[in-house]
Amino acid sequence: MTLSSKLEALRARNAAIDAVVYVDFGATTVLGASQSAGRPQEVLDGLCRLAANVFDEGRGPEQAVLMTVTEVLVLQHLPQEPGTALCFFFPPQTSYEDACGITHDATGSLAQ
């Protein structure tokens, strides 16, 4: 199974997730994305820079949430894989609690 298909399967397990992107924030590189990611490269590059700033080479928080008018973005640091994070995109009506809970559950299922 390819990385993109694993991310798509992760997204497909929960209808509330619009897309999942896997980034190496140390190298500011997108390592993979679910098929539904559909974001321009500039957005994905910005996502890598955002993750690098938030997680500060592993010294930052485990999770960060950005809520905008158009979407909810949850960045989840993956401490078992230094320098990496999963970025979950949700519809704008998703509550903070739901987005965090879904991200936690999805990240846990990925580790299994």
Side-chain angles (χ1 to χ4, degrees):
M1 184 180 271
T2 67
L3 178 58
S4 289
S5 60
K6 287 180 182 178
L7 295 172
E8 184 59 27
L10 180 65
R11 186 209 60 79
R13 282 195 290 268
N14 194 307
I17 301 171
D18 282 345
V20 183
V21 179
Y22 180 50
V23 300
D24 178 333
F25 58 82
T28 59
T29 303
V30 173
L31 299 174
S34 60
Q35 296 167 350
S36 59
R39 270 56 178 190
Q41 189 61 46
E42 309 83 59
V43 171
L44 298 178
D45 291 344
L47 184 60
C48 290
R49 288 189 300 275
L50 176 63
N53 288 331
V54 167
F55 296 124
D56 190 27
E57 297 177 10
R59 293 184 294 269
E62 271 190 43
Q63 189 178 75
V65 180
L66 177 64
M67 302 181 87
T68 71
V69 175
T70 59
E71 63 195 354
V72 175
L73 172 65
V74 180
L75 302 166
Q76 180 67 52
H77 182 235
L78 299 173
Q80 69 273 23
E81 297 178 40
T84 63
L86 284 174
C87 306
F88 293 82
F89 292 86
F90 294 92
Q93 67 272 19
T94 307
S95 73
Y96 172 87
E97 292 80 10
D98 286 348
C100 290
I102 291 166
T103 298
H104 183 272
D105 293 346
T107 304
S109 72
L110 189 64
Q112 296 175 355

